[in-house]
């Protein structure tokens, strides 16, 4: 759209400078354009650029090949955003990429690199709905089961139960297709469609687990189709092509399996070569294969119509009610008339020891007549009534006709060698479900190749649902038609032995059984090719995501993106299925993997719908969470109906992959539904926890760990996190907090660095919790903010853990002890417990193990039982597990120490705590000279610090007075008055020389007299008593616990009068002097341990 620009000069003074810049720009532009041979474009660029003052070299698009796009940021229109263009590309540069459904990078430079790489890519085939989705789904669904097993399923389960089986499976796939359509239309679906949908909806763990299971299912499906191809070839097309011939009567099965292994290996190599040549050729072959399938299905329907007026002639030979295999004889009779002579037939020889009429024959053969019935009586025969009900049987049993007269006799021991039609496996309802379900698993064939589609969002829903509707109608109608046209014994004859070795469904077809044989052969070939095409792309998509490290090598391929390495692995796994060689054994395994994938597709849709995430906006509107939930439940039920042990094995495999991805730390963030579900669950739980404080039985220390950081934003005391993990063992809430001094705008980078360092250390120390860095103008306020606001709702800390300030006596670190004491006061005010670890650098790491030693608890005052609970929690960890717990309490003059010990032992018994108990008697005695002297030194030091701080303040005040006097002498009286009124509390702004000298000497006299008083002062009696307690208690603790691994002490509270804060620090120092590891404990005031269950 053309736009007219009008240049309006802003500063007249800058006109000359602008003209110079314009000339320089034009000269540079023309040189640049001459180099490119585009003088005309250079004139346009020169006319367009009118002195914006931005040189061309500063543009991030200097190396761009397309000049128009390279100049789109120039000019004044977007000058407001010019500083952000390095990280945020303009919308105009992205619209084309968005419209073409490519993944857009966020930064300008990355976007340009992506542009260039896309330009160099070789164009791959792009297919529409019909060829890309409908045909692959149709080929996979109308595969091996329809032609080889559906008639057998109808004969065994009956029309009614077969209808239920097919309806359940088709309903499961239709519900899954609806859920898949919703997910597929909720955004771009690149290559690896089904895996992509699950992983982006349920997260990398679920995506990787289900994706790999689905890949294995798709790969084994290829093996199943190839086995079907070999079965058709060697059983119905060319039985003479078998390499291994049966030696005896019982060797047919084994020789057939060996033939399948040899031929299957050859065919899989051939198919792999075809797929390697290119997906384009597979699609061309697909048209030929699908034409054969459609012709075969038309032939079936035509044959059904023909049976209404002219049924085909396929006689079935019965001995009594037993079906006979016609592979070994040609005449269905015991005797024949030739030239007026009665002669025995080949059938006679199979049951008798000679051809003579008086020979010894099988008892059942002698008692029953041989009869012949039509195998295809036709749709008007009423055979449907006989085929309605199931006829399940044991393995090796004879296929018998219902309601046929029969005389039972003594069974021959050689019945296995007689020409009966036997069942090869034991049949029941759930087995048939497992065998049939793979026939409906082709619904993902189109979505697996979503990378080759023009418009995956449109093609996947339309093609998949149409394919399922078409095939469901075919399957359900075929069940009814097979039951209405074909005799029951022929339906139960899996390999067509009773109809001269013909394919059973082929006997129904018109004009010839060979139409079905050839059509089914190509159908299974095409389905196998489709599986070998889709499975490698699925594996390639998983490998390129990088969530499963050991398969990343399979993400590589040819220059045009064909997954070469993935194809090799797929062929190798497919060979495993070929070596199993039994189609009926492979089918239930496939059912498990496919059902698990479908279950999670439904789960993904249900979760996204129920969460109502803002990004859930599918274009496909015909879905509902109840349909998805029903589909998920049906998939789970079918898994256990098919085979409960296979279902458990499949879940175990998926669970192992899930835990492996979780263990390796899937760092992918795809905005998946499981994360949204976790957030919703967390919100619900937080609202429930908010109802009230936890009961005493549920109380555990929820820690706020206060860390100190050095100038490099590294943690000063890493052992504090070690102690945290030992105390918590991953249970409950842990918030690791720290404070940076300054403003957030200035400290933003340092904050991120500090958070990274703290999180890294938390990972090393295995501390499970959250990190919170606060920037505040002062450390004091920052700690206060953490204590007040850390946590969320009911998930707030109830205990603060911090290290003892070792350098509190240093004069340059005056505020460390003030911050510490204020923190103690604030935790008390917030009704939170406080743990102070002294000598924290001597505490053990998580790798250390104490093989002996004691954890000593000095229980001086009761503050909720915190002292009892902490050793118990610590001893759950490997570091402290072998330490014994000892509890000491102090008896005064009036106390009965013996009774105290008994009471304490009983109390610990009710608390279910094992600990040694000792009562220490500490009687009152005279205050020692040492105590008196120590108190005096403490107070003298405190007073001296105050005087030093006071003198420092006075010096600053004196400098300020001189500065203000000089300023006042140059200012007008009105200004003096206004400044004096503005700062009445600071200084008097109007000075005289006499006042200044008097103030100066007054301060000096005060300082001198103050320092003289320090050496003449007497200690405060209250401080003397407190020091006496600290000294005496320290002596007792040292006597009993000097060699303990850890000492826990009641922490006395700070004085109510803030003037004695520094003395409080000295009392605590004296109380813990000489001990290696000390944990000062101050309870929250509430009971944290109870004797009740």
């Amino acid at each position: 759209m053309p736009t007219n620009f009008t240049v309006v000069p802003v500063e007249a003074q800058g006109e000359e400078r602008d003209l110079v810049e314009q000339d320089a720009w034009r000269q540079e532009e023309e040189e640049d354009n001459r180099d490119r041979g585009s003088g005309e474009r250079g004139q346009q660029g020169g006319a367009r650029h009118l002195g914006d003052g931005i040189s061309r070299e500063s543009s991030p698009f200097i190396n761009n090949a397309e000049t128009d796009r390279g100049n789109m940021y120039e000019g004044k229109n977007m000058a407001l955003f010019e500083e952000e263009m390095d990280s945020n590309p303009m919308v105009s540069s992205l619209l084309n990429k968005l419209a073409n459904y490519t993944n857009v990078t966020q930064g300008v430079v990355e976007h340009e690199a992506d542009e260039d790489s896309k330009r160099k890519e070789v164009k791959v085939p792009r297919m529409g709905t019909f060829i890309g989705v409908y045909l692959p789904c149709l080929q996979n669904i109308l595969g091996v089961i329809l032609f080889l097993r559906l008639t057998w399923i109808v004969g065994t389960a009956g029309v009614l139960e077969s209808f239920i089986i097919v309806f359940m499976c088709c309903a499961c796939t239709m519900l899954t297709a609806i859920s898949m359509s919703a997910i597929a239309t909720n955004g771009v679906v690149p290559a690896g469609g089904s895996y992509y949908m699950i992983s982006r909806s349920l997260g990398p763990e679920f995506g990787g687990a289900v994706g790999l299971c689905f890949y294995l299912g798709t790969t084994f499906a290829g093996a199943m189709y190839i086995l079907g191809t070999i079965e058709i070839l060697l059983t119905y097309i060319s039985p003479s092509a078998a390499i291994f011939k049966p030696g005896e009567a019982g060797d047919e099965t084994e020789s057939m399996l060996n033939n399948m292994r040899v031929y299957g290996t050859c065919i899989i190599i051939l198919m792999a070569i075809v797929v390697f040549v290119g997906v384009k050729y597979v699609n061309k072959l697909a048209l030929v294969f699908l034409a054969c399938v459609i012709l075969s299905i038309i032939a079936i329907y035509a044959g059904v119509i023909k049976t209404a007026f002219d049924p085909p002639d396929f006689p079935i030979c019965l001995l009594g009610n037993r079906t006979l295999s016609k592979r070994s004889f040609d005449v269905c009779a015991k005797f024949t008339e030739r030239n007026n002579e009665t002669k025995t037939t080949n059938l006679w020889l199979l049951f008798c020891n000679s051809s003579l009429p008086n020979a010894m024959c099988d008892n059942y053969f002698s008692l029953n007549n041989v009869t012949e019935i039509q195998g295809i009586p036709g749709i008007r025969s009423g055979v449907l009534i006989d085929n309605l009900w199931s006829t399940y049987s044991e393995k090796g049993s004879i296929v018998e006709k219902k309601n046929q007269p029969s005389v039972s006799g003594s069974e021959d021991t050689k019945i296995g060698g007689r020409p009966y039609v036997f069942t090869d496996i034991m049949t029941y309802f759930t087995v048939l479900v497992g065998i049939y379900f793979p026939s409906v698993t082709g619904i993902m064939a189109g979505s697996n190749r979503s990378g080759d589609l023009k418009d995956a969002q449109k093609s996947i829903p339309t093609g998949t649902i149409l394919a399922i509707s078409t095939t469901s109608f075919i399957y359900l109608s075929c069940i009814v038609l097979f039951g209405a046209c074909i005799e029951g014994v022929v339906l139960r004859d899996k390999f067509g032995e009773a109809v001269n070795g013909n394919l059973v469904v082929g006997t129904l077809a018109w004009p010839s059984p060979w139409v079905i044989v050839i059509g089914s052969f190509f159908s299974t070939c095409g389905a196998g090719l489709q599986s070998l095409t889709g499975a490698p792309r699925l594996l390639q998509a998983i490998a390129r995501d990088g969530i499963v490290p050991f398969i990343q090598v399979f993400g590589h391929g040819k220059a045009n993106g064909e997954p070469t390495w993935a194809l090799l692995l797929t062929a190798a796994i497919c060979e495993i299925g070929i070596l199993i060689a039994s189609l009926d054994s492979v089918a239930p395994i496939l059912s498990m993997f496919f059902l698990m994938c479908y279950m999670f597709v439904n789960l993904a849709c249900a979760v996204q719908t129920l969460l109502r995430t803002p990004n859930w906006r599918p274009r496909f509107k015909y879905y509902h969470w109840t349909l998805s939930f029903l589909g998920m439940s049906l998939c789970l039920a079918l898994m256990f109906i098919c085979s409960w042990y296979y279902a458990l094995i499949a879940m175990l495999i998926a669970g192992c992959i899930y835990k492996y991805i979780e263990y390796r730390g899937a760092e992918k963030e795809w905005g998946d539904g499981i994360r949204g579900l976790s957030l919703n669950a967390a919100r619900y739980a937080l609202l429930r926890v908010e109802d009230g404080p936890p009961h005493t039985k549920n109380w555990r220390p929820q820690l706020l760990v206060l860390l100190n950081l050095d100038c490099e934003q590294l943690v000063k005391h890493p052992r504090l996190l070690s102690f945290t993990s030992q105390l918590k063992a991953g249970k409950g809430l842990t918030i690791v907090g720290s404070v940076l001094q300054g403003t957030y705008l200035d400290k933003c980078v340092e904050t991120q660095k500090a958070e990274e360092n703290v999180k890294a250390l938390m990972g090393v120390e295995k501390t499970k919790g959250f990190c919170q860095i606060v920037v505040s103008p002062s450390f004091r306020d920052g700690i206060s903010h953490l204590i007040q606001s850390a946590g969320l709702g009911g998930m707030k800390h109830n205990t603060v853990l911090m290290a003892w300030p070792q350098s509190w006596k240093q004069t340059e670190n005056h505020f460390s002890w003030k911050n510490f004491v204020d923190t103690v006061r604030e935790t008390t005010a917030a009704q939170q417990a406080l743990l102070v670890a002294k000598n924290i650098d001597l505490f053990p790491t998580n790798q250390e193990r104490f093989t002996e030693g004691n954890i000593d608890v000095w229980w001086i005052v009761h503050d909720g039982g915190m002292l009892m609970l902490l050793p118990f929690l610590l001893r759950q960890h490997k570091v402290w597990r072998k330490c014994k717990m000892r509890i000491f309490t102090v008896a005064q003059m009036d106390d009965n120490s013996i009774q105290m010990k008994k009471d304490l032992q009983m109390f610990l018994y009710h608390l279910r705590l094992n600990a040694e108990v000792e009562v220490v008697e500490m009687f009152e005695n005279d205050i020692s000279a040492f105590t008196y002297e120590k108190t005096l030194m403490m107070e003298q030091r405190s007073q001296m610090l105050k005087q030093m701080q006071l003198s420092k303040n006075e010096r600053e005040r004196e400098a300020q007075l001189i500065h203000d006097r000089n300023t006042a002498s140059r200012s007008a009286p009105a200004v003096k008055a206004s400044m004096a009124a503005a700062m009445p509390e600071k200084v008097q702004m109007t000075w005289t020389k006499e006042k200044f000298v008097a103030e100066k000497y007054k301060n000096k006299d005060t300082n001198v007299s103050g320092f003289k008083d320090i050496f003449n002062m007497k200690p405060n009696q209250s401080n003397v008593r407190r020091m006496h307690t600290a000294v005496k208690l320290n002596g007792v603790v040292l006597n009993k616990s000097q060699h303990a691994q850890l000492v826990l002490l009641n922490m006395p509270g700070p004085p109510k009068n803030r003037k004695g804060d520094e003395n409080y620090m000295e009392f605590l120092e004296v109380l813990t002097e000489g001990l290696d590891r000390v944990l000062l404990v101050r309870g929250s005031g509430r009971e944290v341990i109870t004797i009740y269950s």
Side-chain angles (χ1 to χ4, degrees):
M1 183 177 196
T3 305
N4 295 325
F5 294 93
T6 302
V7 181
V8 180
V10 178
E11 295 182 7
Q13 296 176 354
E15 289 181 356
E16 295 181 0
R17 181 190 62 199
D18 290 343
L19 290 172
V20 172
E21 290 179 355
Q22 289 176 31
D23 292 339
W25 163 254
R26 289 195 183 95
Q27 184 177 356
E28 181 182 347
E29 182 80 41
E30 289 170 2
E31 290 176 359
D32 215 19
N33 288 324
R34 276 198 302 272
D35 293 340
R36 290 195 299 262
S38 179
E40 181 181 353
R41 187 181 302 169
Q43 292 174 3
Q44 294 174 356
R48 184 167 56 247
H49 185 96
L50 295 175
D52 58 2
I54 303 174
S55 62
R56 182 173 174 81
E57 284 76 14
S58 65
S59 170
F61 300 96
I62 188 71
N63 295 322
N64 193 4
E66 299 180 20
T67 309
D68 290 340
R69 195 185 55 179
N71 293 337
M72 67 168 61
Y73 297 147
E74 296 169 2
K76 295 183 178 180
N77 288 329
M78 294 298 161
L80 183 61
F81 301 96
E82 62 187 8
E83 293 185 357
E84 300 177 9
M85 289 177 187
D86 290 335
S87 59
N88 299 329
M90 294 297 296
V91 174
S92 55
S93 72
L94 303 186
L95 285 177
N96 183 48
K97 303 301 292 180
L98 287 168
N100 290 327
Y101 298 104
T102 54
N103 294 322
V104 182
T105 52
Q106 291 299 315
V108 169
V109 180
E110 293 85 353
H111 176 58
E112 292 303 315
D114 189 59
E115 253 319 91
D116 295 337
S117 64
K118 293 292 182 185
R119 231 177 270 118
K120 296 174 184 177
E121 282 185 3
V122 179
K123 292 294 181 182
V124 296
R126 295 288 175 181
M127 296 170 288
T129 303
F130 188 75
I131 292 180
V133 179
Y134 184 76
L135 295 189
C137 288
L138 220 58
Q139 283 181 336
N140 278 267
I141 296 172
L142 297 176
V144 62
I145 300 297
L146 172 63
F147 300 112
L148 296 185
R149 293 293 182 267
L150 190 59
T151 53
W152 173 71
I153 291 173
V154 172
T156 305
V159 172
L160 293 180
E161 291 186 25
S162 298
F163 198 90
I164 292 172
I165 291 173
V166 175
F167 182 79
M168 279 196 311
C169 296
C170 291
C172 175
T173 54
M174 180 59 78
L175 292 172
T176 304
I178 292 172
S179 299
M180 183 182 70
S181 299
I183 299 174
T185 58
N186 190 51
V188 182
V189 181
S194 55
Y195 156 74
Y196 184 91
M197 289 186 287
I198 296 171
S199 62
R200 269 53 175 185
S201 299
L202 296 178
E205 294 89 356
F206 275 111
V210 181
L212 282 178
C213 286
F214 185 57
Y215 163 74
L216 291 174
T218 308
T219 304
F220 276 103
M224 184 187 72
Y225 294 130
I226 292 171
L227 291 175
T229 304
I230 307 302
E231 183 177 314
I232 294 170
L233 176 67
L234 297 182
T235 307
Y236 307 113
I237 296 179
S238 177
S240 60
I243 299 174
F244 299 91
K245 307 289 183 180
E248 297 180 4
D251 292 342
E252 291 91 349
T253 303
E254 188 62 33
S255 60
M256 185 65 179
L257 295 180
N258 289 329
N259 286 321
M260 284 193 167
R261 293 182 180 110
V262 174
Y263 277 95
T265 303
C266 297
I267 289 182
I268 198 173
I269 293 173
L270 182 63
M271 285 187 174
I273 293 172
V274 172
V275 174
F276 178 78
V277 170
V279 66
K280 184 177 179 181
Y281 300 99
V282 175
N283 294 324
K284 288 183 178 179
L285 290 172
L287 296 174
V288 178
F289 295 148
L290 188 65
C292 296
V293 174
I294 293 173
L295 287 175
S296 301
I297 294 171
I298 293 174
I300 293 173
Y301 285 111
V304 170
I305 296 172
K306 182 175 179 294
T307 61
F309 52 87
D310 184 18
D313 183 26
F314 278 99
I316 305 299
C317 190
L318 299 177
L319 176 63
N321 64 350
R322 297 179 178 179
T323 310
L324 297 178
S325 171
K326 280 194 171 181
R327 292 181 185 271
S328 305
F329 64 94
D330 51 355
V331 179
C332 182
K334 294 182 180 181
F335 305 98
T336 58
E337 293 287 339
R338 292 181 183 176
N339 301 322
N340 295 325
E341 293 184 14
T342 301
K343 293 185 179 181
T344 58
T345 62
N346 292 334
L347 179 62
W348 177 276
L349 292 174
L350 294 173
F351 285 92
C352 303
N353 59 3
S354 73
S355 61
L356 298 176
N358 60 353
M360 290 289 297
C361 296
D362 177 71
N363 188 28
Y364 186 86
F365 180 76
S366 302
L367 295 175
N368 290 276
N369 294 323
V370 177
T371 57
E372 200 170 49
I373 63 173
Q374 278 298 325
I376 314 292
I379 196 170
R380 300 169 61 185
S381 64
V383 74
L384 178 64
I385 305 300
D386 297 332
N387 292 332
L388 282 178
W389 311 108
S390 61
T391 309
Y392 299 119
S393 57
E394 298 288 333
K395 180 181 180 180
S397 60
I398 301 173
V399 176
E400 298 177 345
K401 177 175 171 54
K402 303 175 188 176
N403 304 322
Q404 181 77 9
S406 172
V407 179
S408 60
S410 59
E411 293 294 339
D412 193 348
T413 54
K414 295 183 179 179
I415 191 172
R418 304 304 182 193
Y420 295 124
V421 177
F422 296 98
T423 57
D424 61 337
I425 61 171
M426 181 180 179
T427 55
Y428 42 92
F429 181 80
T430 57
V431 165
L432 298 183
V433 174
I435 291 175
Y436 173 76
F437 189 82
S439 67
V440 296
T441 55
I443 65 170
M444 294 285 189
S447 65
N448 286 344
R449 298 167 15 164
S450 54
D452 299 321
L453 300 174
K454 290 179 183 177
D455 186 356
Q457 288 196 27
K458 179 182 176 182
S459 298
I460 290 175
T462 307
T464 305
I465 292 177
L466 279 177
I468 293 174
S469 302
T470 305
T471 53
S472 297
F473 172 77
I474 291 173
Y475 278 126
L476 292 172
S477 61
C478 282
I479 286 173
V480 177
L481 295 176
F482 290 164
C485 296
I486 305 176
E487 180 61 51
V489 291
V490 179
L491 289 174
R492 293 192 295 277
D493 183 7
K494 184 186 289 187
F495 300 107
E497 295 179 56
V499 286
N500 301 319
N502 284 306
L503 184 62
V504 174
V505 70
T507 60
L508 182 63
W510 180 86
S512 168
W514 283 101
V515 176
I516 301 295
V517 172
I518 300 300
S520 59
F521 178 78
F522 284 114
S523 168
T524 51
C525 281
L529 279 173
Q530 295 292 345
S531 296
L532 287 180
T533 303
R537 281 164 172 72
L538 180 62
L539 181 64
Q540 185 183 45
I542 301 172
R544 284 182 173 177
D545 267 343
I547 58 175
V548 186
F550 64 84
I551 65 168
Q552 287 187 3
V553 65
F554 299 107
H556 305 297
K558 294 193 293 185
N560 63 348
E562 290 293 317
T564 308
W565 293 106
L567 177 62
L568 292 176
L569 180 66
T570 302
I573 297 175
C574 201
E575 177 65 20
I576 297 174
I578 298 296
L579 295 177
I580 295 175
S582 173
L583 189 149
D584 296 325
S585 299
V586 173
I589 301 175
L590 309 185
S591 301
M592 294 305 110
F593 290 130
F594 283 119
L595 280 168
M596 181 175 293
C597 178
Y598 298 166
M599 181 178 70
F600 280 103
V601 168
N602 285 294
L603 175 63
C605 183
V607 167
Q608 296 279 28
T609 307
L610 289 173
L611 288 178
R612 298 177 183 173
T613 51
N615 191 51
W616 180 245
R617 303 184 300 275
R619 293 186 178 277
F620 183 80
K621 300 300 181 184
Y622 306 102
Y623 71 95
H624 195 267
W625 70 267
T626 53
L627 294 177
S628 300
F629 187 79
L630 179 62
M632 182 183 68
S633 304
L634 190 56
C635 289
L636 186 63
L638 284 173
M639 285 180 70
F640 284 92
I641 286 174
C642 294
S643 174
W644 64 268
Y645 49 89
Y646 275 157
L648 292 178
I649 292 173
M651 289 181 173
L652 180 64
I653 293 173
C656 291
I657 299 172
Y658 179 96
K659 295 304 293 183
Y660 172 77
I661 297 173
E662 187 180 55
Y663 170 74
R664 289 301 299 258
E667 297 177 355
K668 304 289 182 181
E669 176 52 59
W670 292 322
D672 51 86
I674 291 297
R675 185 173 179 85
L677 194 64
S678 301
L679 290 173
N680 266 19
R683 170 185 165 274
Y684 174 77
L686 283 173
L687 291 175
R688 289 290 303 273
V689 172
E690 187 74 7
D691 292 343
H695 192 272
T696 303
K697 291 185 289 186
N698 297 327
W699 195 96
R700 66 165 60 244
Q702 316 286 8
L703 291 183
L704 169 62
V705 185
L706 298 178
L707 295 178
N708 290 327
L709 305 177
D710 59 16
C711 58
E712 298 293 330
Q713 315 307 332
L714 298 174
V715 179
K716 286 185 179 180
H717 303 294
R719 299 287 177 90
L720 200 60
L721 288 180
S722 304
F723 183 70
T724 302
S725 61
Q726 294 160 22
L727 182 62
K728 298 288 291 179
K731 303 295 189 299
L733 174 69
T734 301
I735 301 173
V736 181
S738 187
V739 178
L740 297 181
Q741 192 168 4
T743 60
Y744 185 72
L745 290 177
D746 296 334
K747 296 285 185 177
C748 185
V749 177
E750 288 87 341
T751 304
Q752 293 177 356
K753 183 180 178 182
E755 188 170 351
E756 291 173 0
N757 293 338
V758 172
K759 285 183 177 179
L761 185 61
M762 289 172 68
V764 171
E765 299 294 343
K766 298 181 180 179
T767 305
K768 297 180 180 179
F770 308 97
C771 175
Q772 190 168 352
I773 307 295
V774 172
V775 181
S776 177
S778 68
F779 285 105
R780 167 76 185 79
D781 292 341
I783 292 174
S784 177
H785 295 158
L786 280 174
I787 292 174
Q788 293 178 62
S789 61
L792 179 64
M795 286 294 288
K796 290 181 68 69
H797 61 280
N798 55 28
T799 305
V800 177
L801 173 63
M802 60 188 302
W804 173 263
Q806 299 287 355
S807 58
W808 70 272
K809 290 186 178 181
Q810 298 175 8
T811 55
E812 65 272 11
N813 199 14
H814 172 69
F815 290 102
S816 67
W817 60 267
K818 279 188 175 294
N819 293 336
F820 176 81
V821 177
D822 285 339
T823 302
V824 177
R825 286 197 176 97
E826 288 198 349
T827 54
T828 305
Q831 296 183 338
Q832 296 173 3
L834 177 65
L835 308 178
V836 179
K838 195 165 185 288
N839 300 325
I840 184 61
D841 294 329
L842 298 179
F843 276 58
T845 62
N846 291 328
Q847 287 71 38
E848 295 182 42
R849 302 286 184 271
F850 288 135
T851 55
E852 58 181 1
N854 301 311
I855 299 176
D856 287 355
V857 177
W858 285 85
W859 193 20
I860 312 299
V861 295
H862 180 63
D863 55 359
M866 188 86 169
L867 282 167
M868 309 291 180
L869 187 62
L870 291 176
F872 170 76
L873 295 175
L874 281 174
R875 292 180 69 241
Q876 307 300 310
H877 197 272
K878 295 178 181 180
V879 174
W880 306 92
R881 186 164 294 165
K882 295 187 178 180
C883 293
K884 295 180 180 179
M885 180 177 169
R886 297 193 303 178
I887 297 181
F888 298 90
T889 189
V890 176
Q892 300 295 324
M893 180 72 72
D894 300 332
D895 296 329
N896 185 342
S897 59
I898 297 175
Q899 188 61 38
M900 282 180 64
K901 185 173 182 178
K902 289 182 179 178
D903 293 342
L904 184 54
Q905 287 174 337
M906 182 58 66
F907 181 59
L908 292 176
Y909 174 78
H910 287 306
L911 289 177
R912 290 92 64 201
L913 294 176
N914 297 321
E916 297 179 15
V917 176
E918 188 170 342
V919 178
V920 179
E921 296 178 345
M922 194 171 74
F923 301 130
E924 292 184 5
N925 52 13
D926 294 336
I927 297 173
S928 63
F930 171 75
T931 301
Y932 190 86
E933 183 180 353
K934 198 167 187 66
T935 307
L936 182 60
M937 290 173 60
M938 176 189 72
E939 293 192 353
Q940 288 177 344
R941 178 180 177 278
S942 177
Q943 189 65 24
M944 187 176 296
L945 285 173
K946 286 183 180 179
Q947 292 294 342
M948 291 173 64
Q949 186 65 25
L950 186 62
S951 62
K952 179 182 178 183
N953 291 340
E954 292 298 338
R955 286 197 300 272
E956 292 176 354
R957 180 185 175 89
E958 184 176 333
Q960 182 66 32
L961 294 178
I962 297 171
H963 171 73
D964 291 341
R965 186 190 61 180
N966 294 335
T967 304
S969 64
R970 294 194 300 268
S971 303
V975 177
K976 292 181 189 177
S978 64
M979 291 179 67
M983 295 183 292
E985 294 182 0
K986 277 193 171 182
V987 293
Q988 179 66 33
M989 298 305 297
T990 305
W991 288 94
T992 62
K993 183 176 181 181
E994 292 77 8
K995 282 185 179 181
F996 179 74
V997 173
E999 182 71 20
K1000 180 178 177 181
Y1001 283 103
K1002 177 184 176 182
N1003 293 336
K1004 288 185 177 180
D1005 293 340
T1006 303
N1007 293 342
V1008 173
S1009 62
F1011 281 107
K1012 287 181 180 179
D1013 291 341
I1014 290 176
F1015 301 103
N1016 298 326
M1017 66 186 297
K1018 293 183 179 180
N1020 183 285
Q1021 289 301 312
S1022 176
N1023 288 340
V1024 172
R1025 289 197 307 273
R1026 295 186 182 204
M1027 183 64 75
H1028 174 69
T1029 303
V1031 171
K1032 287 288 292 181
L1033 193 55
N1034 176 257
V1036 173
V1037 172
L1038 277 177
N1039 184 35
K1040 297 288 185 179
S1041 304
Q1042 187 171 11
H1043 301 294
Q1045 303 292 4
L1046 180 64
V1047 177
L1048 283 82
L1049 274 168
N1050 280 117
M1051 182 178 180
K1056 295 182 180 179
N1057 184 4
R1058 293 178 177 267
K1059 293 181 179 179
D1061 286 356
E1062 62 272 19
N1063 298 335
Y1064 172 69
M1065 298 294 292
E1066 192 69 46
F1067 294 146
L1068 294 180
E1069 193 74 65
V1070 172
L1071 179 63
T1072 57
E1073 192 173 5
L1075 297 172
D1076 289 338
R1077 303 183 193 92
V1078 182
L1079 187 65
L1080 296 171
V1081 181
R1082 183 163 175 77
S1084 61
R1086 63 162 292 172
E1087 293 293 331
V1088 301
I1089 195 168
T1090 179
I1091 64 174
Y1092 300 106
S1093 62

